[in-house]
Amino acid sequence: MAPRALWWFRWGAVGTVLTGLLIMGFQEMFDGDYLTSVPGTAILTGALFGITMLGNVWGVIWPNQQEALGLKPADDDVKARSARVAMLASRTNFVLSLPMLYCMVLQ
């Protein structure tokens, strides 16, 4: 069950970033000064958090979860280290989600 849940988690992050970029593109198309306005700066800041979180999911959490869950061969020490790294990266994403949400609401 964990690999399926992690699949949705990873691709949900991709969908969130792509949707945010699409919205920013439409806003800029209709209002050429949007990205230099206060709401535009807020959404750019939120996008930075989102892109950081996306990189964290794909580059840190997923590779370490694969080792921790035994989807990739690893000895017990590597599995324990990978589980801890994935847990800390997931917590980091949780902490980053709060300011990202604030930026989205401020937008």
Side-chain angles (χ1 to χ4, degrees):
M1 181 165 171
R4 180 179 286 174
L6 292 171
W7 186 91
W8 285 104
F9 182 65
R10 289 190 325 272
W11 288 103
V14 170
T16 300
V17 168
L18 290 178
T19 303
L21 293 174
L22 187 66
I23 290 169
M24 282 189 338
F26 279 119
Q27 290 288 350
E28 184 65 18
M29 186 181 351
F30 292 119
D31 180 10
D33 293 330
Y34 174 73
L35 295 178
T36 58
S37 66
V38 172
T41 302
I43 201 71
L44 282 173
T45 304
L48 179 62
F49 285 127
I51 291 168
T52 301
M53 292 166 63
L54 175 71
N56 204 9
V57 166
W58 281 90
V60 179
I61 297 171
W62 175 237
N64 283 288
Q65 283 288 6
Q66 287 177 312
E67 290 175 348
L69 294 173
L71 301 174
K72 287 170 68 175
D75 60 24
D76 289 339
D77 290 337
V78 172
K79 285 183 181 182
R81 183 199 59 79
S82 294
R84 177 156 173 75
V85 169
M87 183 256 319
L88 291 173
S90 294
R91 286 184 181 176
T92 300
N93 269 12
F94 173 74
V95 170
L96 290 176
S97 69
L98 299 175
M100 183 184 72
L101 179 61
Y102 177 76
C103 289
M104 289 169 55
V105 171
L106 183 65
Q107 188 274 345

